[in-house]
Amino acid sequence: LANWDGGDGKTFSLLETIRNARPDILIGVSGVPGLFTEPVVRAMTEGCAPHRPIIFPLSNPTARVEGEPKNIMEWSNNTAIIATGTAFP
């Protein structure tokens, strides 16, 4: 963590963590609605290229989901592999 960009040296935002760790998978079980923002999804997509990002907003009900599949697909240029914990139209 000492070599990571951003943060205050002790804590990092989700976006800062993704930019530094460059994960291939993001699993949402926080129940924080909208946590998977456009910058977060785009950073995931860029960070795991050439592979497809795996993004699972699993919290439910729908009002508590971290990200909506249609937005995640748009922000990942239709490359994300998505699974949800609740039904979406």
Side-chain angles (χ1 to χ4, degrees):
L1 296 177
N3 296 327
W4 279 19
D5 293 328
D8 61 9
K10 295 180 184 177
T11 61
F12 294 87
S13 70
L14 178 59
L15 180 58
E16 291 165 335
T17 300
I18 289 170
R19 286 181 175 157
N20 285 284
R22 302 176 72 84
D24 293 327
I25 186 166
L26 181 61
I27 299 174
V29 292
S30 68
V32 177
L35 183 63
F36 298 172
T37 63
E38 182 173 357
V40 165
V41 173
R42 290 196 184 278
M44 275 288 300
T45 303
E46 293 168 11
C48 71
H51 305 289
R52 296 171 64 189
I54 300 167
I55 303 175
F56 292 173
L58 297 177
S59 294
N60 59 47
T62 306
R64 305 292 300 167
V65 74
E66 292 85 3
E68 294 193 21
K70 67 179 181 110
N71 292 335
I72 294 170
M73 287 305 290
E74 178 184 336
W75 300 335
S76 70
N77 301 316
N78 295 313
T79 62
I81 298 169
I82 302 170
T84 65
T86 190
F88 282 88

